[in-house]
Amino acid sequence: QVQLVESGGGSVQAGGSLTLSCAASGFSVATHCMGWFRQVPGKEREGLAVIDSDGRTAVVGSAKGRFTISSDNAKNTLYLQMNSLTREDTAMYYCVALSRISGCSLRSRVVTWGQGTQVTVSS
């Protein structure tokens, strides 16, 4: 059974850091295009970062320069290191597996979603 389970969310003060984890089962993150999205109620889902099977990464938008995506293939786990958090980073964060048919990017079709983990940043 293909499954993604996020953890590591919680409450943090502005300026702080959090690391989200996403444990995969039923497939290998090492051979897939993986990414992180987030969503605030009432707003569109926002793509944050993607990592390809060759280790190439891309971080976009407000996450660029603050967030880092990585994976531990031995643990079959994806990570999102988040630094310099602001209240605008408050959201539900989702780990995803993406289709590589048209290349690995945040525009690729999402084939599997995790259940999400809540991040709340207070000032």
Side-chain angles (χ1 to χ4, degrees):
Q1 180 182 1
V2 173
Q3 193 174 18
L4 296 169
V5 179
E6 300 96 333
S7 61
S11 297
V12 63
Q13 287 196 327
S17 299
L18 275 178
T19 298
L20 305 182
S21 300
C22 171
S25 57
F27 73 103
S28 172
V29 298
T31 59
H32 280 71
C33 174
M34 302 293 298
W36 289 94
F37 283 72
R38 69 184 179 189
Q39 188 165 25
V40 175
K43 294 189 177 181
E44 285 193 12
R45 196 168 283 146
E46 177 186 9
L48 300 171
V50 64
I51 183 168
D52 204 349
S53 56
D54 62 0
R56 181 173 51 88
T57 65
V59 181
V60 302
S62 63
K64 198 169 186 179
R66 300 187 300 128
F67 294 5
T68 302
I69 187 171
S70 63
S71 63
D72 184 328
N73 296 336
K75 295 182 178 179
N76 208 26
T77 298
L78 184 72
Y79 301 98
L80 186 69
Q81 170 70 41
M82 305 186 294
N83 299 323
S84 303
L85 288 163
T86 71
R87 291 182 63 181
E88 287 67 40
D89 295 314
T90 295
M92 184 70 80
Y93 284 71
Y94 297 91
C95 168
V96 300
L98 298 149
S99 170
R100 298 184 73 252
I101 291 177
S102 301
C104 179
S105 80
L106 290 168
R107 294 185 297 274
S108 301
R109 181 177 62 91
V110 175
V111 296
T112 303
W113 289 91
Q115 86 287 353
T117 186
Q118 177 68 36
V119 172
T120 302
V121 184
S122 59
S123 58

